[in-house]
Amino acid sequence: MSKDIILKAENISKQYRLGQVGTGTLSHDINRWWHQIRGKENPYLKIGEINDRSTKGSSDYVWALQDINFEVERGEVLGIIGKNGAGKSTLLKILSKVTAPTTGSIKSRGRIASLLEVGTGFNGEMTGRENIFLNGAILGMTKKEITSKLAEIIEFSGCERYIDTPVKRYSSGMTVRLAFAVAAFLEPEILVIDEVLAVGDAEFQKKAIGKMQDISKGEGRTVLFVSHNMAAVKSLCTRGIVMEHGKVVFDGGIDQSIQRYLSTKNNNIGLIDRKDRLGTGNVKIIDVKIQDYEKIMTGSNMIIELFYKTVVENSRINEFGLSIWDYKENRIISLSSTFKDQLNDISESGVILCEIPNMPLVKGTYKLNCFVSSIFGLEDYIENVQEFDVEDSDIFGTGKTIDPEWGMIIVEHNWSKKDVTKN
Amino acid sequence: MNNSENNPSWLFEITPKNNFFSLNFKEIWQYRDLLFLFVKRDVITVYKQTVLGPLWYLIQPLFTSVTFTIIFNNVAGIKTGGIPPFLFNLAGITVWNYFTACLTGTSDTFKANASIFGKVYFPRIITPLSIVISNLIKFGIQFLIFIAFYIYYYIAGYDLVLNGYLVFFPVLIAIMGILGLGLGMLISSMVTKYRDFSHLIGFGIQLLMYLSAVMYPMQLLKQKLPKLGWLVEYNPLAYIIETSRYMLLNVGNVSVMGLIYTFIVTVILFFIGLLIFNKTEKSFIDTV
């Protein structure tokens, strides 16, 4: 099989200088220039650290990207996922020629157009129609191309009524719709999209995802897509790369990529060391375990253990709670000890069990948030304490498995015929 | 088998290297509609939500000319030959305004457009080019008012003679625009990293005006301040202003050497500006 590679990134690295631009910058600039005219290498390229936002480094220089290599085939929709600060946006900026890489090169067989935050170059004083032309031209369309698609663009945006009104009178949602509509009708071979879907209402988001699917599937265009919305990534992309601290740590199918991303999200530190907690902290949840973690199935008995301890005496705990979320960040179930009034006289430290008989979740990856409260209020709340996979099972005993597309929850139900002959 | 390895026909490559003088005319031509739309945007949005609208284009040079006439001609007593002082000043100011508009407009390119440059790529030179062109339109409007006053004074009986070299006036304006563009690109590139230059430009232009023979004939300064005359003689702008006044009003004298000097300085400044601009556009977003 020969592959039709449309885009190739080779050893892309990007270095940034931290801190403020001041007099120190000038001395570095002069030093760099002095090395350059003597034909020597840039002295500041040798130093630099892995880009980890949370730890303080010793060097003023960091590598936002380090040795990024990947290839994209024609017609592929590549999802680029990673935590904030992993280097995704920097990579897209290099791809869309906004900034140059420090080392390495990108080779392309097609025009690249970017959609880094929509509404770029919109001018509030100009009307919607004028802005369509201006924005289209900024994105690389000719006037002729825009004119031929004007009617479609206006229709897709759903802003027909306001099209001759200055954009400054638009609501933010309308501006986004109009901007996305312009970009959606661009015809570059490679389209770069960053976080567009974070805005607009649900209906428009659906429309936008549909349009992007058309672009990639119907028209065979190549799309590079960066988003934190795993649902959008999953439904759009065919392949994914996972980035961490400026490096590509995974490259493969989109499902595995999402799994990989979710599993690395917080698991590298133990719960007890987590600092991202809410609440007064007089009581702390120190560990969360799921019994038989590896074999949770739809319909099975799931038992969650909450280990807690009191930091400040006389904590008077009165509630434990859990919530289960899917990877699209939807809350599926909330559980609380107060719902059923089952926990009384809670000791100052110990282990609490929560049992879910007949677990109703369908196959998929889920995560847990948990909290503990006392009569004084919220003591401790931690997000994403544990992730778990639910496997398919023959829950109804009929050999049928339930597709996660059909819904997140399975409940017992019965079907029968109503006898209509008797009145 | 991977056929892409055998087929090296990449459309383009993104690399860290800077190609000096890489003025990609083909690319600029592709984006010509953007240039046109930027010019249109600049022209129509400047005076939106103002009552007087484009009249503001006229008010500024008229009032400045009146002020100059009162201070430099009536109070300080600068002689302008047989030309009405007001017309003399108006000619100088109209031409000078075009230069300052080009310079201040383009010198702000990177800083003012950081948000858009940070998101999408197009040939950056489109922006300063659009500023030079939209200011040309503004200059055209201001020049009309000059013509109106010229006719008024002619009818009023002043001895105004048209100069045959007037046909070269557009060339002079083009040189001026290019000079402003080159200098502006140079400054805009340096402003991205060191904001000191944006402070410099404000009062720098003020000072430059006094050295550019805007409100006095070049000859006069050489007579009155022989020791400082060289300051004006080395200023290419002074030759442009002096020559344009010669073309428009037939006063003063034209130094061919001075014009050649101006032309050479303009070309050199333009290419240095372009070089630095191209170097900056690749990475400015990291330092702005």
Side-chain angles (χ1 to χ4, degrees), chain A residues 1-3 5-6 8 14 16 21 25-26 29 93-112 114 116-117 120-121 123 125-126 130 133-134 137-140 142-143 168-169, chain B residues 1-5 7-17 20 27 30-34 36-38 40-41 44-45 48-49 115-122 124 193-194 279 281-287:
Chain A
M1 265 293 282
S2 63
K3 286 193 275 180
I5 304 292
I6 192 166
K8 191 174 186 176
K14 178 79 186 173
Y16 280 113
V21 173
T25 332
L26 187 60
D29 276 356
K93 274 188 176 163
I94 291 173
L95 284 170
S96 51
K97 291 206 266 184
V98 164
T99 182
T102 310
T103 63
S105 71
I106 286 166
K107 292 170 178 168
S108 168
R109 285 215 174 81
R111 257 202 315 166
I112 302 177
S114 67
L116 309 176
E117 294 173 51
T120 309
N123 187 309
E125 300 290 345
M126 290 165 79
E130 287 168 330
F133 279 97
L134 182 63
I138 288 174
L139 294 170
T142 62
K143 210 174 168 183
K168 64 179 175 184
R169 310 255 178 263
Chain B
M1 278 289 109
N2 193 338
N3 73 355
S4 68
E5 296 299 328
N7 174 10
S9 64
W10 299 104
L11 186 71
F12 64 87
E13 221 174 302
I14 302 170
T15 56
K17 278 187 216 93
F20 291 144
E27 199 180 39
Q30 276 170 1
Y31 279 89
R32 64 192 181 280
D33 289 329
L34 181 63
F36 170 75
L37 284 162
F38 271 163
K40 192 178 153 194
R41 178 195 65 181
I44 68 170
T45 57
K48 274 211 176 169
Q49 267 198 24
S115 65
I116 171 167
F117 284 4
K119 283 170 197 153
V120 61
Y121 174 80
F122 53 87
R124 304 305 189 211
K193 204 159 189 182
Y194 300 105
K279 195 171 151 58
E281 73 166 30
K282 283 209 143 190
S283 63
F284 94 97
I285 205 70
D286 308 331
T287 52

Side-chain angles (χ1 to χ4, degrees), chain A residues 384-409:
Chain A
N384 198 13
V385 290
Q386 181 69 268
E387 264 151 27
F388 60 95
D389 291 325
V390 175
E391 295 301 326
D392 261 339
S393 73
D394 184 11
I395 181 170
F396 298 124
T398 54
K400 302 269 192 324
T401 53
I402 309 299
D403 189 323
E405 292 284 307
W406 301 340
M408 306 300 300
I409 281 174

Side-chain angles (χ1 to χ4, degrees), chain B residues 150-207:
Chain B
Y150 188 93
I151 294 168
Y152 166 78
Y153 280 110
Y154 186 76
I155 292 168
Y158 280 87
D159 183 25
L160 297 172
V161 189
L162 277 178
N163 186 305
Y165 288 107
L166 194 59
V167 288
F168 293 111
F169 187 59
V171 179
L172 202 64
I173 292 303
I175 290 175
M176 196 160 201
I178 293 168
L179 186 61
L181 178 66
L183 209 56
M185 288 197 298
L186 191 66
I187 293 168
S188 75
S189 308
M190 298 191 289
V191 166
T192 60
K193 204 159 189 182
Y194 300 105
R195 292 290 150 81
D196 311 69
F197 288 98
S198 65
H199 294 285
L200 183 73
I201 190 124
F203 89 102
I205 285 179
Q206 288 279 322
L207 290 184

Side-chain angles (χ1 to χ4, degrees), chain A residues 170-405:
Chain A
Y170 281 33
S171 73
S172 55
M174 270 161 63
T175 316
V176 169
R177 281 158 169 269
L178 189 67
F180 184 82
V182 178
F185 288 91
L186 270 175
E187 280 182 347
E189 288 86 353
I190 303 167
L191 188 61
V192 174
I193 305 171
D194 189 6
E195 293 287 352
V196 239
L197 301 168
V199 277
D201 54 25
E203 180 214 0
F204 186 72
Q205 285 195 11
K206 217 170 144 189
K207 209 166 156 185
I209 290 185
K211 180 67 196 174
M212 283 198 278
Q213 266 164 344
D214 289 351
I215 289 172
S216 56
K217 288 185 184 138
E219 301 162 34
R221 213 100 49 79
T222 312
V223 181
L224 303 186
F225 183 56
V226 164
S227 177
H228 288 284
N229 182 342
M230 287 301 136
V233 170
K234 194 182 158 82
S235 63
L236 272 176
C237 302
T238 47
R239 209 183 100 205
I241 60 177
V242 182
M243 295 185 64
E244 228 173 83
H245 301 315
K247 289 177 176 165
V248 172
V249 292
F250 186 82
D251 185 342
I254 192 64
D255 287 327
Q256 294 97 296
S257 300
I258 291 174
Q259 299 270 334
R260 169 72 205 245
Y261 165 67
L262 292 174
S263 67
T264 54
K265 230 178 154 188
N266 273 315
N267 280 7
N268 37 11
I269 52 170
L271 191 59
I272 197 158
D273 297 323
R274 289 267 299 268
K275 296 280 183 282
D276 50 337
R277 293 160 183 260
L278 293 177
T280 49
N282 292 343
V283 184
K284 277 192 168 160
I285 294 168
I286 51 175
D287 201 5
V288 173
K289 279 185 183 153
I290 300 174
Q291 290 183 5
D292 294 325
Y293 172 72
E294 299 82 22
K295 14 178 194 176
I296 304 161
M297 290 186 294
T298 311
S300 69
N301 211 26
M302 183 172 168
I303 298 169
I304 302 155
E305 299 175 357
L306 297 172
F307 295 73
Y308 69 98
K309 70 170 188 203
T310 293
V311 182
V312 177
E313 300 258 306
N314 196 17
S315 54
R316 303 180 71 181
I317 303 165
N318 67 354
E319 182 185 5
F320 283 92
L322 285 165
S323 56
I324 299 177
W325 300 64
D326 71 359
Y327 66 76
K328 299 171 189 173
E329 306 284 326
N330 295 320
R331 189 204 299 254
I332 316 257
I333 304 170
S334 289
L335 309 165
S336 164
S337 62
T338 56
F339 290 173
K340 299 191 78 173
D341 268 336
Q342 283 170 333
L343 286 179
N344 296 312
D345 297 327
I346 304 165
S347 62
E348 301 236 309
S349 47
V351 185
I352 295 289
L353 297 182
C354 175
E355 183 186 7
I356 308 173
N358 215 355
M359 229 274 305
L361 297 172
V362 296
K363 177 184 157 106
T365 303
Y366 300 89
K367 56 181 200 172
L368 276 177
N369 292 3
C370 65
F371 71 88
V372 54
S373 291
S374 68
I375 58 160
F376 309 110
L378 184 68
E379 294 289 357
D380 197 15
Y381 173 79
I382 322 172
E383 289 186 351
N384 198 13
V385 290
Q386 181 69 268
E387 264 151 27
F388 60 95
D389 291 325
V390 175
E391 295 301 326
D392 261 339
S393 73
D394 184 11
I395 181 170
F396 298 124
T398 54
K400 302 269 192 324
T401 53
I402 309 299
D403 189 323
E405 292 284 307

